[in-house]
Amino acid sequence: MPSYTAPTKDQQFVLHEVLNVSNAGIPGYEDLDRDTTGAILEESAKIAEQVMAPLNVVGDQQGCKLENGIVRTPDGFKAAFDEVRAGGWTALDCDPEYGGQGLPYLIATAVGEQFSAANIAFNMYAGLTHGAYSAIHAHGTDAQKATYLPKMVNCDWTGTMNLTEPHCGTDLGLMRTKAVPQDDGTYKISGQKIFISAGDHDLSENVIHLVLAKIPGGPEGIKGVSLFIVPKFIVKDDGSLGDRNSVSVGKIEKKMGINGNSTCVLDYDDATGFLLGDLHKGMRAMFTMMNEARLGVGLQGFAQAEVAYQNAVAYANDRLQGRDVTGIKNPDGPADPLIVHPDIRRNLMDQKSFIEGGRAFIYWGAQMLDQSHRNNDKDINGLVSLLTPVIKGYLSDKGFDYAVAAQQVYGGHGFIEEWGMSQFARDARITMIYEGANGVQALDLVGRKLATDGGKHVMAFFDLVKSFCKENGEDDTLADIVGPLKDASKDLQAAGMYFMQNGMKNPNNALAGSYDFMHMFGLVCLGLMWGRMAKAATQKLAEGTDDAAFYETKLATARYYMARQLPMTGTHLRRIESGGDTVMALAADQF
């Protein structure tokens, strides 16, 4: 059976030696000293390793069951969920006014990495609740917040987001779910929603659905969409639960992965709903949480790569196959371990350099969200909004790729279910699809985000890279870090210039290259992170440390990334500059 060990040492390195959180100038960060974050991460690691991870295979094998209208989660999920709730882990960054702990989102992200790596399907029940909590917290009335948030913070009540319908996913303007106004100010919600993660289950007393629907007679398309709170059980004035609402589970989807999470078809038949936010402004309310939600999906993607990598490393050290071509390394055995072979090393180094770079990238993103919200920093909000599709799209794409790469280390055993490696790949696959499929993330990046505020935010990113290269350009120990980063940044700028010069004449020239651009941007972002990590490691080694091996490993991995991964920006640039004609050359009936 696969295992998981929380990477607390590397998490602490990113928090304190790369992001320098205690001195970040963000309200609440001054309390994040190394002892405090260490205590939190060590305790969350126990939950991840001892409570969640053992249920990962159980959830995958058993799945969820619909019995007489009641959804049953896998064995052990209810007891584990109660333990997580009791420990306050669902409330880390929630508002203290409603029972939360008020910690920065960054800390919730670091804990969330551990939980997602240990058991992504289980962690989604609390994760979806947090998204619904955020929307109500931002757009609800005082009465709505008082009614729902205290119970959602501690997950006595869980939450969902209901967007997709059988005939519409990305194009939500096509939705048919309707909301008919009632004399008492409520609405009758009717329609069907599909792919609803954590849509119903036996883990909580109530499920608070956030449902997008159209009010008859409203504007056409997306401008006519409103958001509604539709509880599974109606909440009485005194806070107790009343009658069952008219929402039912049509079926539980049979899926490729995340089987421990109940992905439901929900049928609304004149269910009672309550308007959340402004009329016909449902998408604005829903998108309040999108930066957070999409960062969370990027987190899930790279977390699956992390746990898969850990197991691949263990297998490569244990499995005896062949002899090292440079000389026998295991003379007392019939063969050397897999890890002596260069191609296995290449595979593992690809994984390692992505995972550690991805961790720094996503923690930086979480820190920017904190800075945006806690300092009301509009420039940082613009930068993190620009990078959100990169975080979501690139980290989930590569997270899946490297979960498959870890599976490859096992050879035939990786294809056999008893070894557990296929689950990581299957579970990672959904991260490329939900919260906006990655092709849509790329279109959003190129079609909307690059030009936001006149391109101000992408120029701010280039300035960050330029400043790092300038500040460290004279440091000989970082020469093999700075040079490749500078070259990759030039490639990214050249791609942006191509879009400016050719996209206006023919939009397909830009859109056909959008996916390459998203990956190119991701490569440069991880390059910047590796630059910062290499600098931190170099400084630590220069100061003297009892843990030189850790920092030397960081530098070696940084050099690998710069030499073997980052040059891929050149390939993406050549593809982008080939334009849209070859992509669009065939008629629809020629495929």
Side-chain angles (χ1 to χ4, degrees), residues 8 48 70 113 131 137 178 229 358 369 404 414 419 452 455 512 528 541 585-586:
T8 53
I70 299 173
E113 178 201 334
H137 189 271
K178 63 181 181 179
I229 299 172
L369 280 178
V404 172
W419 288 85
T452 299
L528 177 60
L541 288 167
L586 297 184

Side-chain angles (χ1 to χ4, degrees), residues 231-403:
K232 176 181 176 180
F233 291 98
I234 299 296
V235 182
K236 297 180 181 178
D237 291 341
D238 63 1
S240 63
L241 298 183
D243 295 336
R244 174 75 184 254
N245 211 346
S246 298
V247 52
S248 60
V249 180
K251 69 173 181 175
I252 298 175
E253 303 284 8
K254 295 187 181 299
K255 310 185 296 293
M256 176 180 177
I258 56 168
N259 292 317
N261 194 269
S262 54
T263 306
C264 298
V265 173
L266 294 180
D267 295 312
Y268 294 87
D269 184 13
D270 280 345
T272 299
F274 307 87
L275 181 67
L276 177 61
D278 297 330
L279 204 62
H280 308 312
K281 302 293 184 183
M283 290 309 298
R284 184 176 68 182
M286 190 66 82
F287 270 92
T288 295
M289 65 187 112
M290 280 304 176
N291 278 355
E292 175 189 312
R294 288 174 174 170
L295 189 146
V297 175
L299 183 76
Q300 289 179 331
F302 108 85
Q304 290 306 291
E306 162 71 33
V307 64
Y309 164 76
Q310 288 186 16
N311 286 276
V313 169
Y315 187 85
N317 277 286
D318 183 65
R319 175 75 166 175
L320 302 182
Q321 291 285 285
R323 289 296 190 185
D324 187 340
V325 295
T326 64
I328 292 173
K329 296 297 187 292
N330 180 31
D332 296 330
D336 290 330
L338 278 174
I339 202 163
V340 305
H341 303 302
D343 191 62
I344 295 293
R345 293 291 189 98
R346 172 203 58 78
N347 188 340
L348 293 175
M349 286 297 287
D350 281 350
Q351 295 174 55
K352 181 179 176 66
S353 61
F354 163 74
I355 291 160
E356 294 178 15
R359 174 175 296 116
F361 183 28
I362 208 160
Y363 285 17
W364 180 43
Q367 184 184 45
M368 285 191 284
L369 280 178
D370 280 330
Q371 186 173 346
S372 166
H373 296 150
R374 293 179 176 231
N375 285 345
N376 194 28
D377 191 325
K378 291 182 172 55
D379 288 339
I380 288 295
N381 184 66
L383 180 58
V384 74
S385 294
L386 168 73
L387 295 179
T388 292
V390 184
I391 291 171
K392 194 280 183 186
Y394 182 72
L395 293 187
S396 61
D397 269 357
K398 302 306 289 186
F400 171 75
D401 285 349
Y402 288 124

Side-chain angles (χ1 to χ4, degrees), residues 493-506 509-510 577:
Q493 291 177 67
M497 187 62 66
Y498 174 84
F499 291 152
M500 288 178 61
Q501 293 172 346
N502 296 276
M504 293 297 289
K505 304 176 204 171
N506 179 4
N509 283 329
E577 290 178 338

Side-chain angles (χ1 to χ4, degrees), residues 56 59-60 63-64 73-74 77 119 121-122 125 255 257-262:
N56 198 39
D60 184 54
C64 298
T73 52
F77 270 45
N119 195 327
F122 176 89
Y125 291 101
K255 310 185 296 293
I258 56 168
N259 292 317
N261 194 269
S262 54

Side-chain angles (χ1 to χ4, degrees), residues 1 4 42-59 74-87 89 114-115 117-120 122-123:
M1 179 180 289
Y4 171 68
E42 290 298 332
E43 288 304 310
S44 59
K46 294 176 185 176
I47 295 291
E49 296 166 7
Q50 300 170 21
V51 177
M52 294 184 179
L55 294 175
N56 198 39
V57 172
V58 175
D75 293 345
F77 270 45
K78 180 67 167 68
F81 197 71
D82 289 344
E83 186 169 348
V84 171
R85 289 177 47 252
W89 296 107
Q114 296 179 358
F115 289 178
N119 195 327
I120 181 177
F122 176 89
N123 192 52

